[in-house]
Amino acid sequence: MNLKQLLNDSRFDVICVPRLQRDYAQGRHTVKIDDIRNTLLSEIFSGMPVHLNMIFGDVDDSLHGCRRFIPIDGQQRLTTLFLLYLYRNKMISKKLGDDTLKKFTYETRRSSTDFIKQLVENGWTEKIETGKFSETIRNENWYRQVWDDDPTVAGMLVMLNDIHKYAMCQPESIGFPDLDKITFDFENLKDLGLNETLYIKMNSRGLELTNFEILKCSMENNLPNGHIDAERECFKAYEYEDNIDGIRDATFADQWKWCMDRKWSDWFWNSETLEGDSYFLKFITAYSIGFDAAYGKDNQSVKIERIGKIRKRLTEHTLSWEQLIKGIESQETRDRYFVKLAKLLNRMILTDGIFKSSWGDTYVLKDISEMKYKPVAVLFAISCYEGNTLCERAFDEWMRVCFNLIEYIDSGESFIAFCSQIKDLTGVSTDILNGLQLTNSSSRRLQQEKIKATLLLRGVRQLRDAESHQLFRGNIRQMLVDCNNQFTGIFNTLKWSNFARYFSNDGNFKPGIKTDFVVAFFKSCNSEDQLNDGSEILNFSPDNTRNRLAIDKYVSVFHNMLTAPSLQEVEVREITDSAEWNQYRDTIAYGEIVDAILAKTRSMQFGMKGMEFLYRKGSWLSSNYYIALDYKKNKLYRNSFLAKIGYEGNRVAENHDLWWVADVNFEIDGHQFEWNVWNWIYLLDSNGDRVKRTDGTEICLNVYSVEEDNLITELRRLISERTTQQSENTGA
């Protein structure tokens, strides 16, 4: 149908854009709308037939017997067509008496109604310069100044400006386009058996063409032609309305458009926000990102760059389907894009759109709030499932594996690797446990999934409990490997039993466990890098514990802890690569000391010339959060020395020679000394200041150069030096 035929339709008297509709938006001046308007006019003035997709609405005869056709989807296109016909009649054909266009009117504002009426009834200046059309109209004696404040009037004048520009540049050999060749599909809501809910939805959207409307149009223009092999399969889950005959046998494109305007859009509709398009747009965007990651051309870095641009364009509301599928070149792959998306939507609308991992992470796919990698990965994983319903055991098993892999996506690279892996597993998605037996992937995570699948097929039920635990979240390698991090082919029930004794399901320690666990952890370390873990060595929060459980260097540590009969019976392992770290570890691996440390802080940093310091919240100021430990290699023996001379200070724990202090002040033979964190000992005067020689240098001692048995002798030498200096000063 074309506009002329619609205007002459005997079923109604007028075409009326009602008050609930938005203003005319195709004449707005924004970068996005300018592009849309120029694209549309370029197609029309090319002389080729143009099809504007579906226009539908409702016939309302409640106003004094006047039968009004109210467009619900198509207001913008109808208005543009109206302006094209009006321009042709006034400027090209000179049909000033044509009353047909009087059947088109706006009720969005009274001023819009009056303007259109005057625009149709009055003649226009015959010759108008390019770019001066709206200026000329505003100078007509029938034009009212108040119309300048009407956005619909402003939009119509912008469109007329551009129509005039194109008309003035049109070659005579081509002439003004045959507007009757601009067609659209027309449907009456009542004929389709649809109710007023759709009317409310369509009229509650924003004031400007939405990004989704643009995307929807672009997609429909690129749908697969005719019938395709996967057609019946991808629409199988869609339940067509009872009063529709033959639609299931229609082409892919026709079925797509039918579903798009009905149950697909309905599923995203939120009755509280009166919004649906934005949710649908984010859903398609997320699906497209995953599809590109798996099927798109180019390498990882180019794909990651594309993903970034898509996110940015979505935020800026400048996203088109052409940008979404920029990495998809072949028509075959584009057809697959539509087929997978159609099947995904047809299965999705039978669910509530909420999907959960076994450890409780929830993804609401009706409203993907952010284009982060994990929710996008979840959506892509669902799209790769080949079953006909998302409410069956095979789908749950498929998603169990997918969630296990998704949990460790932390970058663009790992996201793209995931999508590629899932694409390769699509063919076995409905029987993933047996299907994994056929994989030969080098991926460590897939190797683990393959082993777990074998164990599940053997009936090892505890494996599922371990996977769902907050501290494993799918990665249960600790339960499957030996102390050398090699898969054993079994699920270690002893490890799991002990683990479950120590931790609650939320990842926190069970009552009375934490101190013993930390001590056992220290005892189980057998290399410096296991202990020297930045400032986090004492941090056993759920997140930090989960991270450690997933790191290879701690496999032997947890193996030693979890295979012992109890935490108190954990075997102490030798730190083979560092004698000093053995002494560090052995000094603090006591329940009393760990208790005292944990009461003050959970952060600890090693360093400072072999001394060990603990600090809280990054503070280096308070000596109450420092401990300095002895070690033999470089002759640091501060604590044993202080204990020997009977130092009275703030002990870390009773019966252990450790003190909460950084710079220690102590006394020898009635003289005060300071042993600082850098392992220098300074002589102090009665005011607590460091004593200086006559040349200005401080009287001090480097502990590294002195044996412990000789330390008091050396300190007395410093006292003697000061006494001598005082005598010389007195004699002078």
Side-chain angles (χ1 to χ4, degrees):
M1 178 179 284
N2 57 40
L3 181 62
K4 181 178 178 180
Q5 292 168 329
L6 183 63
L7 288 168
N8 288 316
D9 196 309
S10 60
R11 289 175 292 179
F12 44 83
D13 303 313
V14 295
I15 299 174
C16 177
V17 177
R19 289 184 179 87
L20 288 176
Q21 276 283 23
R22 80 189 83 167
D23 294 298
Y24 178 55
Q26 284 191 346
R28 293 182 181 273
H29 262 318
T30 67
V31 173
K32 181 175 69 174
I33 302 302
D34 286 347
D35 288 344
I36 294 170
R37 189 168 57 252
N38 287 324
T39 299
L40 177 61
L41 292 177
S42 294
E43 291 180 3
I44 291 172
F45 278 86
S46 69
M48 300 296 291
V50 176
H51 187 71
L52 299 180
N53 299 315
M54 177 76 74
I55 289 176
F56 60 90
D58 193 14
V59 175
D60 179 12
D61 57 4
S62 62
L63 186 64
H64 308 300
C66 177
R67 298 169 302 166
R68 301 181 303 164
F69 173 72
I70 300 173
I72 292 177
D73 189 13
Q75 167 214 353
Q76 304 292 323
R77 285 164 282 164
L78 284 175
T79 305
T80 299
L81 284 176
F82 163 76
L83 294 175
L84 281 162
Y85 272 86
L86 188 61
Y87 181 90
R88 183 198 65 182
N89 290 0
K90 299 283 189 179
M91 301 295 291
I92 307 299
S93 304
K94 313 299 183 185
K95 294 181 180 179
L96 302 182
D98 188 351
D99 291 335
T100 306
L101 295 178
K102 292 182 180 180
K103 294 180 66 175
F104 185 86
T105 185
Y106 261 68
E107 288 185 358
T108 53
R109 289 178 176 83
R110 180 64 184 175
S111 56
S112 302
T113 306
D114 293 342
F115 171 74
I116 291 175
K117 180 180 178 182
Q118 295 297 324
L119 194 65
V120 173
E121 291 181 351
N122 286 280
W124 300 352
T125 302
E126 291 190 10
K127 291 187 178 180
I128 304 176
E129 295 180 39
T130 302
K132 300 284 187 178
F133 193 91
S134 59
E135 182 181 328
T136 302
I137 292 294
R138 285 191 173 97
N139 287 331
E140 295 286 352
N141 57 14
W142 52 265
Y143 187 85
R144 301 173 188 173
Q145 196 70 30
V146 70
W147 293 342
D148 286 342
D149 297 325
D150 188 323
T152 288
V153 173
M156 288 182 175
L157 290 176
V158 169
M159 178 59 82
L160 285 169
N161 265 341
D162 283 359
I163 292 172
H164 185 63
K165 179 182 70 176
Y166 273 87
M168 292 299 97
C169 297
Q170 188 78 339
E172 290 186 12
S173 58
I174 298 179
F176 197 83
D178 183 354
L179 300 180
D180 293 342
K181 290 184 178 180
I182 304 174
T183 60
F184 48 82
D185 296 323
F186 171 75
E187 295 289 354
N188 186 340
L189 282 181
K190 286 187 172 60
D191 293 340
L192 297 175
L194 300 178
N195 58 35
E196 63 183 4
T197 302
L198 185 59
Y199 178 86
I200 296 171
K201 289 190 292 186
M202 297 300 296
N203 283 286
S204 61
R205 295 177 299 188
L207 294 175
E208 197 175 81
L209 281 175
T210 68
N211 222 11
F212 178 72
E213 288 174 317
I214 300 166
L215 180 70
K216 174 185 171 184
C217 181
S218 297
M219 294 178 80
E220 289 183 355
N221 288 335
N222 288 275
L223 291 169
N225 294 320
H227 290 278
I228 55 179
D229 292 338
E231 195 170 284
R232 285 188 177 277
E233 187 66 22
C234 67
F235 287 101
K236 185 176 182 179
Y238 189 93
E239 296 180 2
Y240 289 99
E241 292 74 1
D242 293 339
N243 62 336
I244 300 301
D245 296 326
I247 188 65
R248 194 173 292 280
D249 296 322
T251 64
F252 179 91
D254 286 340
Q255 292 192 73
W256 171 281
K257 294 174 185 177
W258 182 273
C259 297
M260 177 66 76
D261 290 330
R262 290 168 179 77
K263 290 184 179 179
W264 291 356
S265 295
D266 288 345
W267 189 75
F268 287 98
W269 177 250
N270 186 319
S271 59
E272 293 182 0
T273 63
L274 298 180
E275 172 58 29
D277 285 2
S278 62
Y279 306 131
F280 206 161
L281 174 63
K282 288 186 287 187
F283 185 94
I284 292 176
T285 301
Y287 165 79
S288 302
I289 289 173
F291 190 90
D292 186 4
Y295 293 92
K297 63 173 185 174
D298 300 316
N299 56 32
Q300 276 191 345
S301 62
V302 176
K303 289 181 179 180
I304 292 171
E305 183 180 357
R306 273 204 300 269
I307 291 171
K309 288 180 178 178
I310 288 172
R311 286 170 167 165
K312 187 172 185 292
R313 286 186 175 276
L314 180 65
T315 303
E316 295 175 348
H317 307 293
T318 59
L319 185 64
S320 69
W321 185 70
E322 287 75 14
Q323 290 150 356
L324 283 177
I325 50 86
K326 191 172 182 180
I328 305 169
E329 289 186 329
S330 72
Q331 187 60 48
E332 179 184 358
T333 307
R334 291 191 178 192
D335 287 352
R336 182 183 291 116
Y337 169 96
F338 281 111
V339 167
K340 286 175 69 68
L341 179 54
K343 186 170 184 178
L344 172 64
L345 286 165
N346 285 326
R347 293 174 302 175
M348 190 70 70
I349 60 176
L350 301 177
T351 74
D352 60 5
I354 300 175
F355 297 86
K356 293 183 179 181
S357 67
S358 62
W359 49 88
D361 283 354
T362 302
Y363 298 89
V364 182
L365 300 185
K366 274 190 178 182
D367 180 12
I368 303 174
S369 56
E370 296 182 84
M371 285 297 126
K372 292 185 176 179
Y373 287 122
K374 285 188 178 180
V376 174
V378 170
L379 183 60
F380 182 70
I382 296 171
S383 77
C384 288
Y385 179 66
E386 291 197 329
N388 289 316
T389 174
L390 306 183
C391 303
E392 56 189 3
R393 179 62 182 272
F395 174 73
D396 294 339
E397 201 67 69
W398 165 252
M399 289 307 297
R400 180 192 65 80
V401 173
C402 292
F403 276 124
N404 290 345
L405 299 174
I406 288 168
E407 177 60 25
Y408 292 88
I409 293 176
D410 58 4
S411 64
E413 289 81 1
S414 57
F415 167 74
I416 290 172
F418 166 82
C419 292
S420 179
Q421 290 170 350
I422 293 302
K423 178 193 72 174
D424 293 341
L425 290 173
T426 298
V428 296
S429 59
T430 56
D431 187 12
I432 189 61
L433 294 184
N434 285 302
L436 281 167
Q437 310 304 307
L438 306 176
T439 62
N440 294 308
S441 173
S442 60
S443 164
R444 289 186 62 191
R445 295 308 311 279
L446 273 182
Q447 287 175 359
Q448 183 184 152
E449 293 306 318
K450 183 175 181 178
I451 291 169
K452 288 193 287 188
T454 302
L455 294 173
L456 286 171
L457 289 170
R458 293 177 187 169
V460 181
R461 297 179 180 179
Q462 288 176 305
L463 185 151
R464 296 186 188 275
D465 295 332
E467 274 191 341
S468 63
H469 198 282
Q470 284 293 336
L471 294 184
F472 287 129
R473 298 171 76 92
N475 182 6
I476 62 168
R477 188 179 184 90
Q478 291 281 358
M479 300 294 111
L480 305 174
V481 296
D482 58 20
C483 62
N484 297 313
N485 202 19
Q486 299 299 310
F487 285 116
T488 61
I490 64 170
F491 178 83
N492 194 314
T493 55
L494 173 61
K495 280 187 179 181
W496 171 242
S497 176
N498 283 333
F499 185 87
R501 285 167 54 198
Y502 305 148
F503 291 98
S504 301
N505 288 333
D506 61 4
N508 289 301
F509 288 107
K510 289 186 175 180
I513 294 296
K514 186 173 184 178
T515 297
D516 289 340
F517 191 90
V518 175
V519 172
F521 183 88
F522 286 154
K523 290 180 178 179
S524 298
C525 291
N526 71 336
S527 66
E528 177 184 338
D529 69 330
Q530 292 168 344
L531 273 175
N532 192 16
D533 188 21
S535 64
E536 296 296 306
I537 190 64
L538 291 173
N539 185 354
F540 281 91
S541 66
D543 284 345
N544 223 43
T545 304
R546 179 168 60 250
N547 291 338
R548 283 201 181 113
L549 285 165
I551 297 175
D552 286 349
K553 73 177 182 180
Y554 293 118
V555 167
S556 63
V557 176
F558 288 112
H559 181 87
N560 192 54
M561 296 171 65
L562 297 175
T563 55
S566 69
L567 292 173
Q568 292 79 8
E569 298 175 78
V570 166
E571 178 185 352
V572 179
R573 304 172 75 203
E574 184 74 12
I575 298 177
T576 56
D577 55 355
S578 174
E580 64 194 80
W581 282 91
N582 270 313
Q583 188 170 348
Y584 279 171
R585 188 269 309 281
D586 294 343
T587 301
I588 61 176
Y590 294 93
E592 307 95 319
I593 295 175
V594 168
D595 258 343
I597 293 173
L598 292 176
K600 283 181 176 286
T601 179
R602 69 180 189 184
S603 300
M604 181 167 72
Q605 181 162 309
F606 297 94
M608 293 290 191
K609 295 187 176 181
M611 304 187 80
E612 213 171 67
F613 300 96
L614 292 93
Y615 62 93
R616 188 173 190 174
K617 296 181 180 177
S619 171
W620 290 88
L621 301 178
S622 172
S623 63
N624 290 330
Y625 297 109
Y626 290 76
I627 299 176
L629 300 183
D630 298 343
Y631 70 92
K632 299 173 182 177
K633 183 177 180 182
N634 289 330
K635 305 174 184 176
L636 296 185
Y637 37 79
R638 185 168 81 161
N639 293 306
S640 61
F641 174 79
L642 292 174
K644 183 186 299 184
I645 66 173
Y647 171 73
E648 295 294 334
N650 185 15
R651 284 183 182 272
V652 173
E654 191 176 353
N655 301 321
H656 293 276
D657 296 332
L658 296 174
W659 286 269
W660 288 112
V661 65
D663 299 331
V664 178
N665 290 343
F666 62 93
E667 184 178 303
I668 296 292
D669 298 342
H671 292 269
Q672 295 294 317
F673 289 89
E674 174 192 282
W675 192 329
N676 78 349
V677 297
W678 304 102
N679 288 301
W680 286 79
I681 299 178
Y682 296 88
L683 182 63
L684 305 179
D685 61 21
S686 58
N687 295 320
D689 297 324
R690 293 175 180 176
V691 177
K692 295 184 180 180
R693 301 182 180 94
T694 54
D695 62 1
T697 60
E698 295 170 327
I699 297 178
C700 58
L701 178 69
N702 185 337
V703 184
Y704 286 106
S705 62
V706 183
E707 296 289 342
E708 182 175 5
D709 292 341
N710 298 330
L711 183 56
I712 291 181
T713 300
E714 289 297 314
L715 293 178
R716 286 172 174 161
R717 183 183 61 76
L718 297 182
I719 295 172
S720 176
E721 181 182 348
R722 181 192 183 193
T723 302
T724 301
Q725 179 175 293
Q726 287 176 330
S727 298
E728 291 175 351
N729 290 340
T730 302

